[in-house]
Amino acid sequence: MTPRTTNGPVAVLGLGAMGAGLAGRLLDQGIQVRVWNRTPERIAPLAEAGAHAAAHPAEAVAGTTAALCVVADGEALGDVLRGPDGVLSTGPYPGVLICASTVSPDEVVQIAGDVPSVLDVGMLGNRDHARDGELRLFAGGEKTAFEAARPVLEMLSKEVVHLGALGSGMRMKLLLNLLMGVEVQALAEASELAAACGLDRQLVLKTIAGSGFASPVMAFKSRRIAAGRFEEPDFRLRLMAKDLMLATKQAAAVGLSLPLASAAAETHVRATEQGLGDQDCAAVVRALAPKPETDT
């Protein structure tokens, strides 16, 4: 079945930092937007801006030509698509289903099943990029679905790339998050080592941020670490832990050993277990702090 072209209303399912930014961007572009979120309080600001607030995913996608799923993980994506009152609960979705949740590439193929027109899209950027249309998007799926969705994707980004078969977008996203997770942990380790050795942490972080070693992400995260400000996360630590674990599982499936990714995954999982999961991923630095000595 040829998907309807995406020149009509668009649904956004999941209104975390990225989903809310995407919905706001579409509203700014004059698109009719229908939104749903598991916790209704996040809907209010978008409803005030003109979005239709839906009670469940099936209502949100009614009459739309594209649906963006931006939920936390594979379980949530499965519920949104195939659960009670899910997108597919009343039959096939006639538009293009865009899965922008970071899940296992194999999982997105499994969840999609026999959905006629579906893309998996890896998003590179943060909430501000989403709101301002400055994301870079990497899509997997059939070419016909990609071309139908291109107008919406181009509204949301400064670059759109079709990588190939369904699952390709997630593979690219996991690679990118692997790099960020390892990089931010290396920054955190350098910061902790500096403090433990008696160097001024603030000066060290400032030096790193201004050096040739620092990527834009490292420079930005160094400011978070220097300020100890991990609330209002750009990317939650628990989601980074999930993505690093997914990357290591992908590597194992193709016979690769990724020592740096595995070590970073272990640290992020431990940090999540310590209660840091809903803070910014730069809070991994708190999982590296030396434990206080105890009397024996």
Side-chain angles (χ1 to χ4, degrees), residues 142-241:
E142 294 292 335
K143 187 72 171 178
T144 53
F146 175 73
E147 291 300 334
R150 186 193 286 271
V152 165
L153 297 178
E154 288 182 343
M155 286 181 196
L156 301 173
S157 66
K158 63 181 180 181
E159 180 183 17
V160 182
V161 180
H162 182 231
L163 297 175
L166 190 65
S168 300
M170 288 302 99
R171 290 187 174 89
M172 177 65 87
K173 178 62 174 176
L174 291 177
L175 295 179
L176 295 169
N177 280 1
L178 183 159
L179 288 171
M180 181 168 74
V182 169
E183 186 174 279
V184 173
Q185 179 161 330
L187 174 67
E189 290 185 12
S191 167
E192 282 303 304
L193 180 59
C197 292
L199 294 176
D200 184 306
R201 185 196 296 268
Q202 305 294 320
L203 177 60
V204 167
L205 287 167
K206 182 179 179 181
T207 301
I208 292 172
S211 73
F213 303 116
S215 67
V217 166
M218 188 178 286
F220 178 71
K221 295 300 183 184
S222 69
R223 293 193 290 274
R224 272 198 180 270
I225 293 173
R229 185 177 58 82
F230 306 117
E231 69 280 1
E232 297 183 6
D234 302 296
F235 190 61
R236 295 180 190 276
L237 191 148
R238 61 180 171 84
L239 298 181
M240 179 60 79

